[in-house]
Amino acid sequence: MSKRHLSEEDIKARYITPAVTDAGWDLEKIRFEYAFTAGRIIVRGKMTARGKQKRADYVLFYKSNIPLAVIEAKDNNHSIGAGLQQAIDYANHLDVPYVYASNGDAFVEQNLITGEVKEVGLEDFPSPEELYKKFKRDKSITSTEEKVMMEPYYYVPGYKEPRYYQRVAINRTVDAIARGQERVLLVSATGTGKTFMSFQIIHRLWKSGQKKRILFLADRNVLIDQTMTGDFKPFDGSMTKVQNRNLDSSYEIYLALYHQLVGDDGEEAYRQFQPNFFDLIVIDECHRGSAREDSAWRKVLDYFSSATHVGCTATPIETNEASSVTYFGEPIYEYSLKQGIEDGFLAPYKVMRIGLDKDLEGYRPEAGKLDRYGYEIEDREYNVKDYDRTLVIDDRTITVAKKITEFLKNTGRYSKTIVFCIDIEHAERMRQALINENKDLYTEDNRYIMRITGDNDEGKAQLENFIDEESTYPVIAVTSKLMTTGVDAKMCKLIVLDSNINSMTEFKQMIGRGTRLLEEYGKTYFTIMDFRNASRLFADPEFDGTPEVVTDITGDDPVEEPESGDQATDDGFNGGEIIIDPPIDFPPNDEDEDDKPKKYYVSGVSVSVISERVQYMDRNGKLITESLIDYTKKNIREHYAKLDDFLRTWTAAERKKAIIEELEENGVFLDAVREEIGQNEIDDFDLICHLAYDKKPLTKKERIENVRKRHYLYQYSEVAQQVIDTLLDKYADDGIKEIEDRRVLQLQEFAQIGSPIKIVQEFGGVQGYEEAIRELTNELYYA
């Protein structure tokens, strides 16, 4: 048979794979059909589906942590280099230096380090050693760097392997340090496994002998404990937690809190060690105190300045007061929230923007109006920036609590929820309002709603239970700032924003509480309920990128009021950076010398919802406001511009369900639309024609009757007629996808007719049965 008649799979099996294995690449070094993404989760209504994975035909690994080449294959009707651009795209994701394309005649090689492109014969494909020597030469790798680079990841059977972006981040960090870089910044979105990456970086540098004593710095005790019992557990025996400022110099890996080392009384416990004691310091959440030059926490890093410093964060901070990039340098690698969602490793979100009348229109008290504690309210226009900070409208709190409860009643009352409030006092009032709306569940267990804030020991004691995916309670956590960072709440399905958020860092951290995926527990997406228009920040270019460094303004420069909320505020934030640990808020109503309260409390003013819209992420990661029906129609017509295009594809398809699955991968959820419009009696074909092309649909029952009227069944034996009759009944219940799958014959309905083998034999074998199914589907959609 001519090469031109062979499929791509045949070309790979007969020509490409033999050429690679003959060059010395054994099967352990080759990853066939290497899927390196999970496929984006697409959300419409309450329905979700997975998009396509990115899948390279071949990825060649010299060592488990050193991929060297991507090969993309095409059938022989394509040119030799037809797959080269696709291979380059995959290689850019995977950080692979060499790409190859082939149609079975030869290879085209592109060196992504030097840019050189050349043709290579099938018999001349490079061996692992040849390609590795080229890699060392092209990258100018020294023997010292090679020793570190060759150190493998930690792995034992059952232990997780790095995802592609984790491998890239680990490799780039380790390689940079091996080359002598002393300050490294690693930026990776919340929920992408920064602690696991830190462990693998430390492990490789430690095992290779490059770094012998290591300090891991964090800012929350719970983070240290989670790290020691989780990702860092393989360090048992060599690892210690710094406690009570007692520093034992007999260990190699230390985990500590900033404030334990600094001390509250100027004790500076870190000075028990010599300045050159540590070789490597890894700083978790490095956008916090370490980014500020005048921070007490920076003293620790300055003291151990001879060590290599690696900063890890989801949100590098760039303000007048603090700069991650100024301290650490440009990120060695960035993996954004947008990319994590696109790859299917992070949960996508939908946004509910809720407009309250007093928020949108403002509120002005009548002259001389007293608040409920007898204070005369200052006569001015109040707006959403004032509410719960300087003026409290009781009914606003109640209205927000009602909307939260309404959403949970419609979606699941045990869905883990975080409600972000202005301050602790606001959080306590919100807790009480939520209790009043959920008295039935609160009386069953008073942990159903908990205030978890820096001043509340009872609430903080429940933080671990809130994080635990196996624990039912607490369900609703009401907080202000304590839970913005470092809380790995995998099961959080609802984030409520009732706080004025101007800092991009704070906004990203809050959104990050919902981005974890936990599909085995039913967590595939999360919802953001926004009462303060904070979700406007999604449109800010800074949301999914690294901000520019902010430089100091000289005397000759114009001075403008910052728009990003960088000025210090009384909520413990400065430029979006939490500078109080543990985060606390300030109590309300402490009177100053003028006997003016910090907040006015207003009763008897009604607040109502006047606008509500739901926004979804589109395929490009942008938030869109569009009805499910309009979105579906537009998506279908992007694939099939005209009805004739769709009908030709439908008629020619061997399996109709392949068309439906392709549409689902692109966000067309026919079941969700069917539920919304109440058309449960029409199948996918009619729904598509009706939605996209305004054709009157037939019900499944009408299609079945049309088939029977044409006496189509009489060409078959009595037993075969009985089988097709039963298949038509299945079509009436479940649609076309069910009857196309031969496993349908295993169902109980067919058992009285015969075994699957006997049924297939009634049609003359498998080929005859498949032909009968194709004929049946054509009859169903005749004319």
Side-chain angles (χ1 to χ4, degrees), residues 389-404:
R389 182 173 292 283
T390 59
L391 181 136
V392 174
I393 300 177
D394 290 340
D395 198 52
R396 188 187 182 283
T397 310
I398 294 168
T399 301
V400 170
K402 285 181 182 295
K403 290 304 295 183
I404 295 169

Side-chain angles (χ1 to χ4, degrees), residues 463-479:
L463 186 56
E464 283 296 313
N465 289 329
F466 183 80
I467 292 169
D468 184 3
E469 56 265 28
E470 298 285 353
S471 177
T472 302
Y473 300 104
V475 175
I476 303 175
V478 188
T479 189

Side-chain angles (χ1 to χ4, degrees), residues 37-41 50 339-346 517 519:
T37 71
R40 179 194 183 102
I41 293 178
R50 282 277 187 186
Q339 190 63 54
I341 293 173
E342 180 64 33
D343 289 343
F345 296 126
L346 294 179
L517 267 177
E519 292 179 87

